[in-house]
Amino acid sequence: RVTVGGSDVRLSPKEYDILQQMVLHAGKVLTHRHLIHEVWRGAENIDVQALRVFIRQLRQKIEATPEQPRHIVTEPGVGYRLQVSE
């Protein structure tokens, strides 16, 4: 179950799987390769662009300002990191 500001957020299965990976490894950089391998179960035909589309959709649903994400941070050329509050 995913909530933002007390309201339920509906995620697609792939969005949920991506977010789950990010939560399991919160604060750590997850490479594109890692996310594709874990979320698409090693599918060979998935490219980074497909992952970017799902990340964009996920940000639209959970970020207050998706254009300036505070939670799902891009690590250029590497992957993504779930920013944890201190």
Side-chain angles (χ1 to χ4, degrees):
R1 181 174 177 190
V2 177
T3 61
V4 174
S7 299
D8 286 345
V9 176
R10 295 185 57 110
L11 300 179
S12 74
K14 290 294 184 219
E15 291 167 346
Y16 185 85
D17 290 346
I18 291 167
L19 186 58
Q20 181 181 41
Q21 280 298 307
M22 298 188 91
V23 168
L24 287 172
H25 304 284
K28 297 179 182 175
V29 176
L30 298 181
T31 65
H32 299 121
R33 177 177 281 190
H34 172 87
L35 287 168
I36 289 169
H37 176 75
E38 293 297 321
V39 173
W40 279 270
R41 310 294 185 237
E44 299 292 326
N45 60 342
I46 303 299
D47 65 359
V48 174
Q49 187 57 36
L51 176 60
R52 287 183 181 127
V53 169
F54 281 100
I55 292 289
R56 186 178 326 115
Q57 292 170 346
L58 192 52
R59 283 177 171 156
Q60 291 289 327
K61 293 178 180 182
I62 69 169
E63 296 279 1
T65 309
E67 302 79 26
Q68 298 173 345
R70 292 181 41 226
H71 304 292
I72 300 175
V73 178
T74 299
E75 298 293 342
V78 180
Y80 301 94
R81 176 175 45 88
L82 183 66
Q83 180 68 41
V84 292
S85 300
E86 297 191 17

